[in-house]
Amino acid sequence: MDETSLVSEPSAIASDPHAAGQPLRRFRFPDGDLGWFTTDHSTCKAIMGDSRFVLHPLRPIGGDDGGFQEVTSGPESVGDLLRIDPPEHTELRRKLTRYFTVRQVEAKRPTIERIVNEQLDAMEAAGPPVDFVHTFALPVASMTLCDLLGVSADVSENFERPSEIISDVLGATFAEKQAAMADFYEFAWSVITEKRARPGDDPLSDLIQSGDLTDDQLKGTTFLLFAAGHHTTATMFAASVFFLLQEPRRWREACAEPPAIDSMVEELLRYLMTTNTNMPRTALEDVEVDGVLVKKGEAVAVVPGRPGGDPAACPHFREFDPARNSRAHLAFGHGRHMCLGQHLARLELQVGLAALMRRFPTLSLAEPPERNAWTPPLGSGYQANAQIGKDPLLVTW
Amino acid sequence: MASRLRIQADREACVGAGMCVLSAAELFDQDERIGRVVVLRECPDAETEDAARQAVALCPSGAIMLVEESGTDDPRSDAADDASGNPEGEFDG
C-alpha cells in the first residue's frame, strides 16, 4: 500500500470535503489503527444506513478530541443510544420513539410558542444589545426540553453547565470534564429518584416505571436526553442567527418576504451542519463500499461535509437558498442512530426563528463578525461540534 | 394495462424516525406505541408520487420501498395483488 496516499490529518480532507477523488480515503486513526475516512454525502449515508456497520469499538477520529469520547464512555453508557449497538440499541430506542414522533412533537407547538415569546420579551427588556445565546438560544432549547422531560426549568443550570464543560474541547481540562460528568450523573440520578417517587407523564417516568432498565441504563439515557436535547438546538439557534446576520441582506430579505419557514430551517441545517457525532463505524464483515473493500474490523470515519447534501443532486450546491425546500442532507445523520429529537429541533427552530424575525426585523450583530466574541467553530467538519459556550453573541436592533 | 406504484413498508426495519410522515403525511403515519410506520394509502397518485419518492430516499433504515406493478383497473385483480405483504394493521410486538 502506498503510504503517501494515507491521510492522517482529517482536517486536510474535511477542509475541502467535496474535492473530486475517491469517496473513501485510507486513514490512520489517532490510536494507530488503519481504516478509512469519508466526507462524501452518498458514502456517509450508505455506511450510516448499513446494518453491517456498528459503533463498537468507539475511538476518536481526530487528535484534538479533547477527551470527549473517553469522558462520555463509562458504565452508564449502556443507556446511551450513541454508545450502543443492536440488539440493546434497538430495544432502548423503541422505548423512546413514541415521544418524538412528528405528531407528538407537533403537539408541543403551543408550549414552544409560549417559551419563545417569553424569551423575546426577555430580550426586549434586557437590551439592546443582548447576548442572544444566554437570553434566547439556550433558554428556549433548555425550557422546551424541561417541559418534554417533565422537570422544572429551574434545573437547567444542572445540565447546561456540565454540557458546556464537556463540549469545551480545548478550554476545559480532562479532569474538569470528568468532574462535570460526575455532576451530570448526580443530577441525572436526582431526576430519576424524584420520578421514581412521583412519576409524571414523560419519557423518563415511563422508562423508570417499566422496570426494564438498570440504574446505569437510566442514568445513561437521562444524560443523553438532557445533553443532546438542548445543546445541539441552542447551537443551531446561535449559529443560524449569526449566519443570517453576518450578511445583513439575508435577515432583511427573510423578514421582508418571509420564506416558508420549514424550507429556511432545513436549508440552515444543510448549510451549517453544526453537529457531528464523530463516531466512526466499524465493519462487522467485509463490505464493499463505492468499489472499495472495507474489511471486517476496519473502521470508517464518517464525517459528512459542509454544506450538506449531494453536489450531484443538489443544484447551486454552495448557495444558501432558503426557498430550496430540500431535506436531502445529513444534519441529523442517517440510519438507526438518526437524531431521535430531530422533529423537536425542527419545530423549535421554525417557531423560534420565525418569531424572532417578526419581533426584531432590524436585528443585527452588535459588533462586526470578525470582532464578535462568539463565532461558531465551523472550520473543518470533523472537529468537535460547533458549540455555544461561555462567549456571548451580542445582537442589537 | 396501467402500471402503478405500490408502497411497501418493512415495519421490522423501521426505526420510527418519521421522515416518511414529514415527506408525505397523506401517505404515512406513525403508530402510537413505538412510532413505527403505518401506510395510510398504498398507491400514491400523480400528486403524491414525488412525496412518496422522497419518503423512500429519506427513510433512515431503508424500510420504505416503491414497487412498480402493472395491473388493470379491475378491482378484483387488485384484491389478488394484496398478497404483497402490506403490513398495515399488523401491530406485532
Side-chain angles (χ1 to χ4, degrees), chain A residues 3-332:
Chain A
E3 283 286 326
T4 61
S5 68
L6 189 69
V7 184
S8 57
E9 182 42 63
S11 62
I13 313 174
S15 60
D16 189 9
H18 304 295
Q22 324 95 295
L24 267 184
R25 307 274 294 273
R26 251 329 184 173
F27 175 66
R28 191 168 301 278
F29 285 83
D31 66 8
D33 272 9
L34 194 57
W36 305 86
F37 192 103
T38 182
T39 56
D40 179 78
H41 173 88
S42 304
T43 309
C44 288
K45 194 178 173 191
I47 292 173
M48 286 194 223
D50 191 324
S51 57
R52 295 168 295 178
F53 284 94
V54 290
L55 298 184
H56 279 119
L58 192 65
R59 75 194 82 202
I61 64 175
D64 57 0
D65 160 80
F68 181 84
Q69 268 187 22
E70 194 184 332
V71 89
T72 56
S73 302
E76 299 87 353
S77 299
V78 289
D80 185 336
L81 289 173
L82 290 179
R83 293 285 181 269
I84 56 180
D85 290 314
E88 294 83 6
H89 174 269
T90 313
E91 209 177 303
L92 180 56
R93 182 148 176 156
R94 274 183 185 166
K95 292 177 155 75
L96 290 167
T97 44
R98 68 190 200 92
Y99 291 95
F100 295 94
T101 61
V102 174
R103 178 186 298 117
Q104 275 301 118
V105 163
E106 177 60 32
K108 293 291 179 187
R109 184 182 289 269
T111 301
I112 296 171
E113 284 172 344
R114 174 182 56 76
I115 291 169
V116 161
N117 280 322
E118 280 170 7
Q119 292 320 115
L120 292 175
D121 291 344
M123 281 177 69
E124 271 195 83
V130 295
D131 170 14
F132 181 74
V133 170
H134 290 95
T135 320
F136 189 92
L138 257 177
V140 168
S142 292
M143 288 198 282
T144 301
L145 185 66
C146 287
D147 172 84
L148 176 76
L149 297 181
V151 299
S152 160
D154 296 341
V155 309
S156 295
E157 167 76 7
N158 296 318
F159 59 82
E160 285 178 358
R161 183 87 187 110
S163 295
E164 184 188 305
I165 294 168
I166 64 177
S167 308
D168 193 356
V169 179
L170 302 174
T173 66
F174 190 70
E176 284 168 339
K177 288 167 185 164
Q178 282 178 308
M181 281 308 291
D183 288 345
F184 212 140
Y185 286 132
E186 199 178 297
F187 162 68
W189 190 242
S190 75
V191 172
I192 291 162
T193 306
E194 169 62 28
K195 287 182 182 302
R196 204 161 248 161
R198 276 163 291 277
D201 181 18
D202 60 76
L204 292 175
S205 293
D206 198 41
L207 284 182
I208 294 162
Q209 289 202 285
S210 75
D212 290 341
L213 301 193
T214 64
D215 286 350
D216 271 345
Q217 282 178 306
L218 286 172
K219 278 188 255 185
T221 299
T222 303
F223 160 69
L224 178 72
L225 290 177
F226 274 109
H230 86 283
H231 200 245
T232 46
T233 305
T235 297
M236 255 311 281
F237 266 124
S240 298
V241 165
F242 182 80
F243 174 76
L244 292 170
L245 296 182
Q246 215 175 1
E247 295 236 348
R249 70 167 176 86
R250 285 184 195 137
W251 189 260
R252 268 200 318 265
E253 281 170 15
C255 293
E257 248 189 74
I261 193 64
D262 56 349
S263 170
M264 179 172 215
V265 164
E266 214 64 31
E267 180 69 345
L268 285 163
L269 289 163
R270 178 189 81 88
Y271 209 75
L272 302 179
M273 294 289 288
T274 53
T275 297
N276 197 318
T277 58
N278 290 317
M279 300 181 313
R281 304 318 206 254
T282 300
L284 287 175
E285 57 190 73
D286 287 3
V287 182
E288 186 173 311
V289 183
D290 288 323
V292 160
L293 183 66
V294 177
K295 296 188 75 62
K296 174 178 172 173
E298 285 186 330
V300 185
V302 176
V303 184
R306 187 173 65 84
D310 179 358
C314 187
H316 316 297
F317 174 76
R318 290 197 183 277
E319 196 179 295
F320 174 72
D321 177 10
R324 189 184 289 278
N325 202 31
S326 167
R327 299 190 187 93
H329 57 74
L330 297 173
F332 293 113

Side-chain angles (χ1 to χ4, degrees), chain A residues 45 48-49 93-95 97-98 100-103 266 325 327-329 334-336 338-339 342-343 346, chain B residues 11-12 14-19 21-23 29-36 54 57-61:
Chain A
K45 194 178 173 191
M48 286 194 223
R93 182 148 176 156
R94 274 183 185 166
K95 292 177 155 75
T97 44
R98 68 190 200 92
F100 295 94
T101 61
V102 174
R103 178 186 298 117
E266 214 64 31
N325 202 31
R327 299 190 187 93
H329 57 74
H334 193 67
R336 68 172 64 94
M338 190 177 194
C339 178
Q342 58 176 316
H343 303 304
R346 283 189 172 95
Chain B
R11 305 191 82 228
E12 252 325 289
C14 174
V15 296
M19 290 309 291
V21 176
L22 210 60
S23 304
D29 197 356
Q30 290 174 274
D31 77 55
E32 272 187 19
R33 204 172 67 79
I34 62 174
R36 262 206 287 223
Q54 213 193 104
L58 296 180
C59 173
S61 60

